[in-house]
């Protein structure tokens, strides 16, 4: 298991750095799954995913992947995607695993 925690004050660049890392991860691995998790699905979409999508649109040569309202999907590769998943109970993360799966918890102190 590999884990990294990024903590700091407001406007320190945590979201910027994390979103650049997420975009690089997406482009490096052909079959990967990236799962964004936050306090709520709305927060994950409006904060972390918005940052990822903003930087992805500015990339000069991004790999294949269509930016959707709540994720990024490579139409040619089923297991190459970024999704927002905020399971409250049960097996909400079922099927979201593999060799290059990246889970990103934003506001992790609020995530059960």
């Amino acid at each position: 298991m590999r884990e990294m925690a990024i903590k700091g004050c407001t406007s320190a660049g945590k979201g910027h750095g994390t979103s650049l890392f997420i975009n690089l991860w997406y482009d490096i691995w052909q079959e990967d799954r990236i799962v964004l998790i936050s306090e709520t699905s709305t927060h994950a979409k409006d904060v972390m995913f918005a940052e990822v999508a903003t930087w992805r649109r500015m990339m000069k040569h991004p790999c294949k992947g269509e930016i959707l309202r709540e994720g990024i999907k490579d139409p040619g590769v089923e297991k190459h995607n970024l999704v927002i998943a905020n399971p409250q109970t049960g097996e909400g993360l079922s099927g979201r695993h593999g060799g290059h799966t990246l889970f990103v918890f934003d506001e992790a102190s609020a995530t059960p």
Side-chain angles (χ1 to χ4, degrees), residues 26 36 45 49-50 52-54 56-57 65-75 80-84:
Y26 185 87
L36 302 182
K45 178 183 171 185
F49 178 67
V52 170
T54 296
R56 185 146 200 88
R57 287 185 191 99
E66 182 181 355
I67 299 174
L68 307 172
R69 287 187 324 135
E70 295 187 1
I72 301 172
K73 176 70 176 136
D74 182 344
H80 192 206
N81 58 52
L82 179 149
V83 297
I84 296 170

